[in-house]
Amino acid sequence: MKEFHDADAASTNPKNIGELKTALVNRLIYSIGKDPIDTHERDWFFALAHVVRDQITLRWMESMRQYYLSDAKRVYYLSMEFLIGRTLDNALLNTGGYEAFRLALEDMGMNLDEIGGEEEEAALGNGGLGRLAACFLDSLASLRMPGFGYGIRYDYGIFSQRIEDGWQVEHPDNWLRYGNPWEFARPEVLYRVQFYGRLVETQDTDGQRRYQWLDTQDVMAMAYDLPIPGYGEGTVNNLRLWAAKATRDFELRYFNEGNYIKAVEQKTSSENLSKVLYPDDTTQMGRELRLKQEYFFVSASLQDILVHFGTEHRDLAELPDEVAIQLNDTHPAIAIAELMRILLDQHGLAWDQAFGITVRIFAYTNHTLLPEALETWPVRLFERLLPRHLQIIYDINQKFLDEVGRRFPGDGDLIRRVSLIDEDGGKRVRMSHLAIVGSHKVNGVAKLHSELMQSTIFRDFARLFPDRFINITNGVTPRRWLHQANPGLAGLITEALGDSAWVSDLERLRGLVPLAGDAEFRSRFRTAKFDNKARLAGLLKQRLGLALDPASLFDVQIKRIHEYKRQLLNLLHVVTRYNRIKDQPTAAWIPRTVILGGKAAPGYRMAKLVIKLANDIARVMDRDPALQGRLKLVFVPDYNVSRAMELIPAVDLSEQISTAGTEASGTSNMKMTMNGALTIGTLDGANIEIAEQVGRDNLFIFGLTAGELAELRRRGYQPWDYYHANSELRRALDMIASGYFSPEEPDRFKPLVDSLLMGGDQWAVLADYADYVAAQEAVDRLYGDGEAWARQAVLNVAGSGWFSSDRSIREYAGSIWNIQPQA
Ligand code: 26W
């Protein structure tokens, strides 16, 4: 199917192929230092990556030069996470070199897919938030927009997950072990970042109070640049990641004392700053090192941004006309206080002018409503680590609260609620409040999420700043998630629409609507899906020794394991189905393969128990002859970007079953829709917009709405009522609680069942169970009619254009950043 990739005819002529072969051998010898007669496949991967990087590099320099000459306004996307995945195939497809390189390698007796398999993932993110940042970089470059990413070059990305005896075990992700062929180290781009220390107050000549931050412990931030190639004639943008380096201060001090070992020890300890990505999403961790990471990359990025702006010879009042900064959640929100510090303490601006500039530059994206994920930091920690920033935050707060007091006199409770400082039980800085007060726009990531954000967690702020709050629904890049991951379907779409313009203009997929009614097209569409399922089955056979039937319905839930995402609801359905099959073994069951994948935060006991439960259920079912050919459960270990690219094209049924009102948007829901899956989902996050776009009849919506759930909770939700009222639910829960799937440790899963029955079932799993099971029955009925299913699957692809991250980025560019595509 690879022939459907838009091979650039000129680049696949024999002369060019010959040149590529020469380039590969030269790189192998001169850059990798290997003799062609004695190589590992990895050596060829590195040689290849270098040749591809060479091709990108010139275009990258042209783009940078052009941005410089046009002096266009830029956006800087600040994010603690960029979950990029592998780069090779993406770079080859975006630049049109895929086919030529494939042929060159083939001529040399090698296979591009195998060579590409040697690449380590850049897994510098936890999940949705980090992957969104990566999709946004692809769109910025493909749309020729001057957009730059800033983040941290972690030595260790998200842990790799192994399953041992059914349990998750975390292993370090040493992704830089063999080096990263895509990056350019910039040892000369080095900034000093200060921590701790003390403040000294001085008077300016004009009587203004000024502050000096002295006796700090400093760390250097060194830049590494990653080129981000846009699609086709798109530009090549830059992602700059910071690595921590020791200053030479320790060296001098301890060397003078003759203490060499101590000097080296100090060096390692400051370089630990960028050692590892924190693997927790949605639980906030008040760890000092995390706050240091946040400030570290923010400080370096702002210094770099201002160097580029040319602070020395330009009027800072112009900064907001040249620079927009997007805060990816509150993790970089300290940037607001940092810019204020620079403007006040280093450039001597007056408060009001500095704050006016700051607010015009920053915008903040919120990615979660879960209270336990909203970042707050102990004032005591802040005071020790960043004393001047705490002071500035207090000053921002005071001016803000004065204004609130003027507008709403006498409302002390409002003041307490919106304060940047939480005064209850140990003072803490509320980073979301800082982000809102210091930004001109705050956006949620799907319509429902943005509404709930304004009516719940940020209600008071929405009243104070009604024009500040907007929605920008997330999107995903169709380059990686359809064109690259699913060449079979991509080729079919290109053929059906007449060209591949859809890759950079995804709304064109609407042109497939009439083809949903075309039997010939549907048949080819079904073949493409079947081939993807067979390919996945082959991979899982090879890797895990599993036998999957590609003719069965592939029912897939892949995402971080979290109670609110309700993997447990999925498992309750699996157990129910198991019981039904056991009760009626001769009935005509639609064969199903239920696939689960995702990582649990290392300290999240319940999530880890869910993984073990899935594996224990799978083991019992695998041993039962009555289930064979009817129902199989599989937990795929180490879900990551590459796994996602294998799985998503093979999905029939996309599980998006979070408790309504909890999943901010979801993005795997969009990827699966784009790849022709039907969704079974709640009216949550972007599922609602998927239903609008593809038509409510073309997916399986079930469960309580956010409003109904709020009402149910007001009345007093009683999980036991559901337990008593539904015998199938009772049976499934009793089996899990009593050790049916864990006879060697009967109580193993009691904590899970207790969280539902004794713990109040915070995520309303039981309330949605019956409706979910009914929706699953509707799934079976439709799947039984392959043509009817295919028709709806085509309509899902046709309706997925809205979920391109190009659309999201255009909205950000227009309504927040005020930046334009470059010629
Ligand atoms: C402080 C620790 C921490 C780290 C990460 C807390 C919270 C996070 C993220 C906000 C969690 C996250 O990834 N949120 C997801 O963002 C996606 C992109 O907008 C959405 O599609 C998901 O619904 C949302 O869960």
Side-chain angles (χ1 to χ4, degrees), residues 285-325:
M285 57 247 138
R287 302 285 299 274
E288 183 162 333
L289 182 65
R290 165 81 178 193
L291 182 56
K292 281 177 108 172
Q293 287 185 334
E294 295 181 354
Y295 179 64
F296 164 75
F297 101 98
V298 158
S299 165
S301 306
L302 281 181
Q303 292 182 63
D304 202 41
I305 290 167
L306 290 172
V307 164
H308 179 270
F309 170 74
T311 324
E312 301 311 313
H313 52 271
R314 281 178 83 164
D315 184 353
L316 281 162
E318 288 169 21
L319 197 59
D321 303 322
E322 299 289 322
V323 167
I325 300 179

Side-chain angles (χ1 to χ4, degrees), residues 319-339:
L319 197 59
D321 303 322
E322 299 289 322
V323 167
I325 300 179
Q326 191 67 31
L327 304 172
N328 199 20
D329 217 280
T330 57
H331 317 151
I334 187 65
I336 289 165
E338 173 68 355
L339 183 62

Side-chain angles (χ1 to χ4, degrees), residues 138-152:
D138 181 89
S139 285
L140 281 163
S142 299
L143 292 168
R144 306 179 136 275
M145 293 202 193
F148 296 74
Y150 276 115
I152 296 176

Side-chain angles (χ1 to χ4, degrees), residues 128-129 280-283 285 329 331 367 445 474 564 663-666:
L129 164 140
D280 301 73
D281 66 341
T282 66
T283 62
M285 57 247 138
D329 217 280
H331 317 151
H367 294 269
V445 291
N474 282 168
Y564 85 80
E663 186 70 272
S665 162

Side-chain angles (χ1 to χ4, degrees), residues 77 79-84 122-125 130 133-134 137 149-151 239 241:
Y77 199 82
S79 179
M80 285 284 278
E81 307 189 5
F82 287 92
L83 221 185
I84 293 173
L124 309 183
L137 292 181
Y150 276 115
L239 169 59
L241 300 178

Side-chain angles (χ1 to χ4, degrees), residues 659-697:
T659 311
T662 64
E663 186 70 272
S665 162
T667 43
S668 74
N669 48 0
M670 302 170 181
K671 294 166 195 166
M672 294 189 211
T673 300
M674 225 173 251
N675 281 275
L678 268 60
T679 300
I680 184 166
T682 46
L683 285 173
D684 196 18
N687 298 351
I688 296 172
E689 288 153 81
I690 294 177
E692 281 168 20
Q693 292 291 323
V694 309
R696 177 94 189 217
D697 297 340

